[in-house]
Amino acid sequence: MRYLKKAVERPKEDLAKVRETVSEIINFVKSDGESAIRYYSKLFDKWEPKSFKISNDEILAAQKDLPITEIEDINLCQKQIKNFASEQMKRLESLNFEVETVKGVHLGQKVIPIKSSGSYIPGGRYPMLASAHMTVITPKVAGVSRVVACSPPVKGQGLWPGTLYSMAAAGADEIYCMGGVHALAALTYGIEGLEPVNIIVGAGNKYVAEAKRQLFGDVGIDLLAGPTEILIIADETADPLILAADLLGQAEHDPNARQCLISISEEIGTKTIKEIDLQLATLPTKDIASVSWKDNGEIILVESREEAVKISDEWAPEHLEIQTEDWRYYLDHCSNYGSLFLGEETTVAFGDKTIGTNHVLPTMKASRYTGGLSVNKFVKTVTYQYASRESSIIIADVCERACYYENMFGHGLSCKVRKEKYAK
C-alpha cells in the first residue's frame, strides 16, 4: 500500500483537564442537584428557564413553527427507524425459552426491557433531529416504559423546534432543555422532578464522552463515541464525484472527523482528490470540512481487494462504504465496522438520517468488539431455574462436593440441608 494523501500526525490529546472538569461538574450535580444544573446552564448555555422540563404547550408551539414538509419528512424517517427496530425486536423475542436439561430440572431465559432510559441529543453545531429518532424510538420499541430525552439550548433560546418535535413525535415521556455534562449527571442522579434513569445513550463531544465514562457504573451507557469516521473502499468503477461528496459529508461534522478512501485504482484516487478541492470551493460548511479533510483525510492505494479488506479491518471504521463492481465480496469478508453501506446507491447520509438503521455507532476502533445502538441495548437477557424435589437431591449431592473442592463450606451447607430434607 501507499498513500496518495496522509492525515497529519498529531500527538495524542491530553485529556487530563477534560477529566478534571467533568469530575468537578458531576460531583457538584450529585451533591447540589438542581442548583448545580442552574449554575452550569447559565455558565455554559446562557439559559435560565423557570423549568428545564418542556411542557406540552411548548411542544405544540414548536410543531406550529415547522413547515408541513419538515413534519412529514420527520414522520417518514421515524417510521423507517421504528419499522427496522420492530423487526429487530421480533428476533429478540425468540430468545425466550425454557428447557428441561435433566428430569425435573428446568432452565430458562427471558428478555426483559430496562425500566428507564435517558436520550442525549446533541445540539451545538447542528440541530441533530435524527439523534432524537435513533435514541428515543429504539428504547420505546424495546419496551422501555420511561424514556427521558434532553438536548442543550441554542444560544439561550431553548431547543431547536425540529429537535423538540422529533423528541415528542418519537415518544419521549419527558423532555428537558439542558445539555452537556450536567445534563448527563442529572439523568444519572436525578434532580427535583426528574427521577434517575437506568441507562443513558447518545453521542456528544469529548466532555460528553468523558462524562459517560465517569458515570458508568452508577448508570448504564451505550458506548464511548469519538469524532465521526468514514472509510470507503473503491475500485476503477467508482465515481470520483460521488466519492468526494461522501467523504466531505463526514468531514463537515467536526474538524476532528476522520475520512479515508482505500482505492484499488490510482486514477480514481487522484481524481477524487481533485474533485474534493472543487466541491470544497462551494460547500456551505467548508470552514469545518476543509480543516477536517486537510488534517484527517487519507487516500490509500492498494493492489487487491484482499489488501483493501485487511486495511479496512485494521482501521475499523464507524461507517464503511463499498463502491466497487462486486460489493458482495466485501459484505462476506469485512468484519470490523459500525454500519456497512453497499454500492454507490447507498450513502452514509441514508443511514444517519432516513433509511432505518441506527446511527449511534462505535468509533475509535471499537467496532472490533461491538456494534451500534439497537433494541439489544435496552433489554437484558436474564436466566431462571427451578427443580423438583427428586432432582434437587441429585443435583445437591454433586454440587455439595463441588463446593467443598473450592472450600466454600457455606455453599456446601445450602446443598446439604436440602438433600437431607428432601430425602426423608
Side-chain angles (χ1 to χ4, degrees), residues 381-392:
T381 303
V382 299
T383 58
Y384 64 91
Q385 46 268 301
Y386 61 93
S388 66
R389 291 204 164 189
E390 293 76 14
S391 62
S392 184

Side-chain angles (χ1 to χ4, degrees), residues 47 84 97 125 129 155 195 233 241 269 286 316 355 365:
W47 181 240
F84 187 68
F97 73 89
R125 185 171 283 116
L129 279 60
K155 299 177 182 176
E195 291 296 317
I233 298 176
L241 183 145
K286 65 181 178 182
I355 208 167
K365 295 185 180 292

Side-chain angles (χ1 to χ4, degrees), residues 52-54 117-121 131-132 135-136 146-151 159 163-164 166-168 170-178 187 194 197:
F52 291 101
K53 188 174 183 179
I54 300 298
S117 69
S119 302
Y120 185 79
I121 294 94
S131 286
T135 61
V136 176
R146 174 175 168 254
V147 177
V148 182
C150 68
S151 189
L159 295 171
T163 302
L164 178 51
S166 296
M167 291 170 161
D173 300 289
E174 302 167 34
I175 300 173
Y176 292 82
C177 183
M178 55 185 180
L187 290 171
L194 169 58
V197 298

